[in-house]
Amino acid sequence: MPSYPAMSGLIRRYPALLSKQLTVHSGFGFRMILGGLACLVHGLLPFLFTKTGSRVITDLHGRMVTHRSRPAPQAGRGGQTA
């Protein structure tokens, strides 16, 4: 298992790889957890949170897709060739 300083470095670098600030990345995860908790409560008490889980998933998916940056396809690796 990596040491604490090594793990700390990984935690700081990971959001940079995604071009995001740590607070934005954490906020996305927090919304995901809240949506999951709403789904769990809905599973136990179906009259609660009837639309919350699907609304959170739709919102997170939209944010993830619209903020995605994709590399240009390379010839010979599934991309279109001229």
Side-chain angles (χ1 to χ4, degrees), residues 6-46:
M7 187 66 81
S8 177
L10 288 172
I11 290 170
R12 280 194 215 105
R13 281 191 305 253
Y14 178 69
L17 294 173
L18 298 176
S19 302
K20 294 181 180 180
Q21 295 177 354
L22 186 57
T23 55
V24 173
H25 193 70
S26 298
F28 191 91
F30 187 67
R31 283 249 323 137
M32 194 181 303
I33 291 169
L34 287 178
L37 289 173
C39 289
L40 286 172
V41 171
H42 174 71
L44 296 171
L45 304 168

